Structures are given as structure tokens and as C-alpha cells.
Amino acid sequence: MTSRAQKTTRTPDGRLIVVSNRLPFVFRRDGDGRWQSEPSSGGLVTALLPVLRYRGGTWIGWTGSAGTAPDLESEIATAGKETGYELRAVPLAADEVHNFYEGCSNEIIWPLFHDMQQMCNFLPEYWRTYREVNHKYARVAHDASGPGDFVWVHDYHLMGVAAELRRLGTKARIGFFLHIPFPSPDIFLKLPWRRETIDALLKFDLVGFQTMRDRRNFVQCVRALVPGVEFEGRGQVLQAAIGEHSLRIGNFPISIDFNAFVRQAAAADVAAHAKELHRLLPNRKLILGIDRLDYTKGIPVRLRAFQNLLERYPDLRERVSLIQVVVPSREDIDRYRELKTEIEQLVGHINGSFVRPGGWVPVWYVYGGLSRLELLAYYRAADIALITPLKDGMNLVAKEYCVCSIEEDCVLILSEFAGAAAQLARGALLVNPYDIEGVADTIHRACHMDRRERQARMRRMRRSIRENDVFQWVDSFLRAAITKDLSAFPQPEHYVAEEAPDTSLAL
Ligand code: GDG
């Protein structure tokens, strides 16, 4: 447990009840059919752990397996005892997993909120199950919480939990954080259940978004759909009133555990692994892309940009290699399988067009998850990170790359449509990921950037991430829920500078 997190994090009085789609554990049966649990290693877990242990609390979520297994319950209880906070599982039947998780969450809300309405499958039964499953999560949260507690709900799967909790008469305060973007009204209004969704979000006491742009989109959607909501404030956290209920709405860019990444990246085995990568791919700049297999990540168009670079800048042939890591995800869905095939055909085409006998391979393609050691080694070895999602809530890979670059001698190329762009704009080279020639030109610029500029840019980004780490993120969200005086939350300077508010709304 970090003492820093303990000292700085003030929660509202009472315990913290975290509600997320999945529990922070992976449960698997071993060879003898007995359940084994392994803690997940994500940033959210790391950040919330000190608060949960210090204040006491509960984490509510699905185990990841459909149906119920009585013997799993005892493994959940054991895992909870070892972590120092309570775990409560929400059991989901196979049809609920299909309609709520794969259907409504991942075939409607995920694509729509990433501006990909053509990918949406607006089936009414998906939405019906979404409401029922949100009710299930709320029921467990209601039983787990008391009047002085703070319930913190995470992400797009669970936007209806506060509305259900209010119906159940829960007295605890309830916050929500959306990890993915919130779309503009043009897109959001396509959702057949738009009014119900906005009404449900307005039932929370605090709604947090990654960026000012997301928050502004939400405010515009509220204005378009719900008459009579009044907004007040100009800083990072706004106050809104709707009838008797008032809530706060803010932007809280999520971050990473800066010190842990620096420490781990500096380890001797990481350095040795990074050196080995340079030995295998000698005398060239290494360009790195790491993405989950997802159509929001923009992998095919990025490969086309790399191909364009090699065509238009022959001086870079044999002097650059793109390491593209694709982490398997949702492979049982046709669209994801098709995406994988498209990526592999493009890689084959580029390598077939430019490969030189006995040596250089332009694209080094890795399909599979990386160990922590490998991930850190790729970060340390890469001269350039090419992170070009078509849309992304934040993108922690961008922040992790900067922080692991302990020599501060490398370049981040970042999509302007990643939430991280608002914070890293002064150090990264921002690109429009759809602009194939623009991205190619930017890679060329990155390859020729002088050392002083590389270091100055990287230093600026690393300082910003250090000052705004994940513990500060938890702290600011929980403070926003209780602070009386909202002037304690001025908009961080870099957000005002990089993402000027829409003056027609002044919000
Ligand atoms: C959602 C939003 C938002 C990736 N590959 C491997 C691996 N990773 C780790 C990275 C990073 C995490 O997974 C990915 O984080 P992202 O932020 O990029 O994306 P999502 O998981 O889609 O998350 C996103 C985030 O929520 C937080 O609010 O930033 O916009 O979509 O930590 O390091 N880790 C290992 N092997 C891999 O192969 N060990």
C-alpha cells in the first residue's frame, strides 16, 4: 500500500463500494477442477486498493463466467479475505451475458460512444436485458451499502445503476465514471433509448468524464433532451440541478501509477530485454504500436500510413521497423475476426512489397498478449510510439510509454482523438489518424527530430503525468463528491489551453 495514496485520499465518510462490470480477479478452474483466483493488474485496481483497505469497502462485479457455481463462492470469499476488502459477485446467466455484455454493451454502447454508429446493432432485447442486469448490480450494491457510504460505479455497462438504486431507496451517495468517450449529440441522439440513458445518468450525485470534450458533449445532450436542467460553474466540476436533485459533472483524466512504472522499467531484466530487441532489429528506428484487437484502434489505417511512408520516403527503407502488437480480444465475434484477417493481409502485403533478401522486415507483427516484462521492454526499446486510435477515452498505453522512457529520448505520435491528447499535446506529435499522408509525414518528422527536441517534449509529458498520477485521479474524483466549494476545482491549465471550451455554451 502506498503511504502517499493513504495520506492524500479523502473519501466521503463511510466505506467505498466499487461497482464495475468485472471483479478485479480472474477466476479459473485448475486441472483438478478447483477454482483458482488471480488478481487483475489494471491501473484502476492499483489506484483503488489503498482507499478500499484504508476506509474499508466492497467491490461488486461479475466473475467472468456465465451461470452460478456454488464452489466459486467460497473462492471469491477467500480472495476477498486476502485482499483486505470484501468481494461480492453478481451472477449472470448465459443469455444475460449475450444480451447485456456482448449485445447492449459491446454492440451498441461501445461502437456508438466511439462514433461508429454503423457498427451498432440496436436490438430491443439487448436494451431490455441491459436494464434488468443493471438492476441486478444495483440490488447487490443496495444490500452492501449503508447511508454514509459512497458507491462508485464504473463504465458504460452500468449507466443505469443509480436510477435502480434510487428506486430501491438507497441512501448512500453515488458516483459514476465513464472510461470511454461520450459522443456529441449528433451521434448520441441515434440511441433509441437516449432519454432513458440521460435520465439515468442524471440520477447520480457525481458524473465524471475523461475530458472536457466528453463533458461538454454530455451537457449538450442533456440540454437537447431534458428541459429545465440548470448548470452552474466554470471550473473542472459543474453543478447541475434538476427538480429536487442536484448533481456534479466533471472531467477527471485517468492516469497511471507513475512511480511504479518508472521503477519497473528501470529493472535490469527489462533493460536486457530491450537491448535484445535492438540486437534482433539492428541499425534502425523502432516504431511501436500496441493495441487490443478493436476497430476503434485504427490499426489498418495505421498500417496504410506506414506503407505510405515507405513509398514516399525511400530514405527510411531499412532504417525503420514497425513493431505492431495486437492483443487478442472478442475473437468469437465475426467483426473482430474479420479485422484480424484485414490486419494480417495488410502486414503480409507490406512485408511482401518491401522485404529485402537476407535482412530487413518492415513490419514485425505480434499477435498475442505480452507479459509485463515484455510490455515494459517494448516501451523502453521503442524510439517512436505510434498510437493512433480513431477514438479513445484516454489511452493509457500512451502514458505508460512516456513514463517508461526513462532516458526521455524518444517520440510519441498520438491521435488527436485519444483522450490523452488533451493532456499530452505539448509534447506529443498529434495526428489525425484518418490522414494517411499526414501520419506518414509525421513519422518521417519523428525519425529526423533532433535529440534536444525529443528530450524536451518527453520531459514535458512525463512531468505532467507525474503530477497527475492515478492516485491524484482517485483523490480528485472523491473530493469532487464532497467538497462544498467548487472553486477548489479550477480547470487544469493544460486542458483550458488545449481544448478551448465551446463559447456558445461556456461550459
Ligand atoms: C478503457 C478505455 C481508457 C495492453 N496490452 C497488454 C497489456 N495492456 C495494458 C496496457 C494498459 C491497458 O492494458 C490498456 O489500457 P487502455 O487505456 O489503452 O485501454 P482499455 O483497456 O480499452 O480501457 C481507455 C481506459 O479504459 C482507462 O480509463 O484509457 O480509453 O477504452 O494498461 O498496459 N498489459 C500486458 N500485456 C499486454 O499485452 N501485461
Side-chain angles (χ1 to χ4, degrees):
M1 183 189 317
T2 72
S3 55
R4 172 169 175 227
Q6 235 184 49
K7 262 188 259 142
T8 58
T9 303
R10 282 156 299 229
T11 65
D13 288 336
R15 295 171 323 131
L16 180 64
I17 313 295
V18 178
V19 189
S20 67
N21 174 45
R22 294 282 287 265
L23 284 171
F25 278 85
V26 181
F27 297 94
R28 275 193 205 95
R29 281 193 195 275
D30 64 16
D32 302 327
R34 274 194 299 267
W35 286 102
Q36 297 293 336
S37 59
E38 204 183 299
S40 326
S41 56
L44 184 63
V45 189
T46 314
L48 292 176
L49 199 64
V51 195
L52 283 164
R53 283 185 178 157
Y54 185 58
R55 306 291 306 211
T58 303
W59 196 310
I60 293 166
W62 175 45
T63 57
S65 306
T68 47
D71 55 337
L72 179 55
E73 274 159 35
S74 68
E75 182 55 34
I76 294 169
T78 311
K81 272 196 203 103
E82 280 162 16
T83 54
Y85 58 91
E86 186 195 15
L87 296 177
R88 289 208 192 183
V90 181
L92 295 183
D95 63 325
E96 288 175 327
V97 176
H98 178 70
N99 287 336
F100 154 76
Y101 178 67
E102 290 154 9
C104 194
S105 301
N106 290 329
E107 282 183 35
I108 298 179
I109 305 169
W110 175 269
L112 190 74
F113 281 33
H114 285 88
D115 297 353
M116 297 190 176
Q117 67 214 42
Q118 72 285 3
M119 304 260 184
C120 293
N121 196 2
F122 292 115
L123 293 182
E125 58 268 34
Y126 285 176
W127 181 251
R128 261 197 304 279
T129 313
Y130 184 84
R131 290 182 56 186
E132 287 160 12
V133 170
N134 270 248
H135 178 78
K136 269 191 158 180
Y137 279 81
R139 184 81 252 171
V140 180
H142 179 70
D143 292 344
S145 60
D149 294 342
F150 185 74
V151 180
W152 188 354
V153 181
H154 288 266
D155 228 357
Y156 63 104
H157 318 84
L158 300 173
M159 294 188 287
V161 167
E164 299 292 345
L165 281 171
R166 302 282 180 217
R167 267 178 223 131
L168 293 166
T170 297
K171 295 286 182 295
R173 293 173 66 75
I174 316 163
F176 175 76
F177 184 76
L178 184 69
H179 289 256
I180 65 172
F182 195 90
S184 70
D186 279 358
I187 306 276
F188 183 78
L189 292 180
K190 310 254 163 33
L191 181 68
W193 311 281
R194 59 200 188 181
R195 177 67 196 259
E196 201 180 329
T197 302
I198 291 288
D199 284 344
L201 287 170
L202 291 172
K203 292 282 194 309
F204 285 93
D205 294 299
L206 169 64
V207 179
F209 298 96
Q210 298 273 24
T211 66
M212 250 168 79
R213 184 178 355 207
D214 299 319
R215 189 188 80 181
R216 195 167 59 235
N217 286 341
F218 175 69
V219 167
Q220 288 178 342
C221 289
V222 172
R223 291 203 154 144
L225 290 166
V226 189
V229 183
E230 288 176 18
F231 295 93
E232 213 182 284
R234 303 184 70 83
Q236 189 183 357
V237 184
L238 308 174
Q239 187 87 33
I242 167 162
E244 298 288 288
H245 179 63
S246 72
L247 73 149
R248 287 164 177 199
I249 304 167
N251 53 293
F252 305 92
I254 198 167
S255 192
I256 60 171
D257 183 347
F258 180 94
N259 291 326
F261 270 99
V262 169
R263 203 176 47 245
Q264 290 162 11
D269 52 352
V270 172
H273 216 87
K275 212 168 152 194
E276 177 63 10
L277 277 167
H278 276 291
R279 198 189 61 75
L280 288 168
L281 302 167
N283 307 320
R284 72 194 79 169
K285 296 263 185 197
L286 298 184
I287 305 173
L288 177 68
I290 295 187
D291 310 84
R292 205 162 41 72
L293 179 69
D294 197 283
Y295 46 82
T296 61
K297 299 296 183 185
I299 306 169
V301 70
R302 179 186 314 159
L303 288 168
R304 289 195 177 93
F306 186 68
Q307 178 182 348
N308 185 278
L309 172 87
L310 300 177
E311 284 163 2
R312 290 171 50 238
Y313 296 103
D315 60 308
L316 286 182
R317 292 181 199 163
E318 297 186 79
R319 292 183 48 213
V320 291
S321 277
L322 171 64
I323 302 173
Q324 177 61 59
V325 180
V326 177
V327 183
S329 170
R330 306 177 194 167
E331 286 164 296
D332 41 342
I333 299 173
D334 285 347
R335 193 163 279 143
Y336 285 75
R337 268 201 302 271
E338 285 157 22
L339 176 63
K340 179 170 181 269
T341 306
E342 185 186 359
I343 292 168
E344 287 171 359
Q345 282 172 350
L346 275 165
V347 170
H349 175 71
I350 298 169
N351 284 345
S353 308
F354 294 99
V355 74
R356 296 288 158 88
W360 179 61
V361 177
V363 185
W364 170 305
Y365 172 68
V366 181
Y367 184 75
L370 303 176
S371 68
R372 182 85 173 170
L373 169 69
E374 289 168 324
L375 179 78
L376 297 170
Y378 276 117
Y379 285 154
R380 271 205 70 177
D383 301 287
I384 298 168
L386 186 57
I387 301 178
T388 55
L390 305 178
K391 186 94 180 174
D392 216 332
M394 178 56 56
N395 197 299
L396 294 179
V397 170
K399 292 188 173 181
E400 292 167 7
Y401 173 70
C402 295
V403 171
C404 291
S405 305
I406 47 186
E407 285 90 13
E408 301 186 326
D409 186 16
C410 54
V411 185
L412 171 65
I413 300 177
L414 180 63
S415 162
E416 59 193 71
F417 306 125
Q423 182 178 351
L424 303 180
R426 288 178 187 154
L429 298 182
L430 293 190
V431 291
N432 171 357
Y434 294 95
D435 178 2
I436 289 172
E437 290 193 342
V439 173
D441 292 343
T442 307
I443 301 172
H444 185 258
R445 181 180 162 200
C447 289
H448 289 93
M449 189 183 280
D450 68 52
R451 191 186 167 104
R452 252 188 33 191
E453 184 178 351
R454 291 197 297 262
Q455 290 187 325
R457 285 173 173 275
M458 202 38 79
R459 197 166 299 139
R460 227 173 281 152
M461 291 190 282
R462 294 181 86 243
R463 193 186 313 128
S464 172
I465 302 166
R466 191 181 65 228
E467 287 166 4
N468 299 281
D469 69 6
V470 73
F471 300 107
Q472 188 271 345
W473 174 76
V474 171
D475 188 50
S476 64
F477 186 88
L478 295 177
R479 273 192 302 117
I482 52 169
T483 308
K484 291 209 168 56
D485 179 13
L486 287 184
S487 65
F489 285 91
Q491 198 60 253
E493 202 188 312
H494 47 261
Y495 288 96
V496 178
E498 306 305 340
E499 234 191 319
D502 178 345
T503 46
S504 64
L505 281 159
L507 286 170

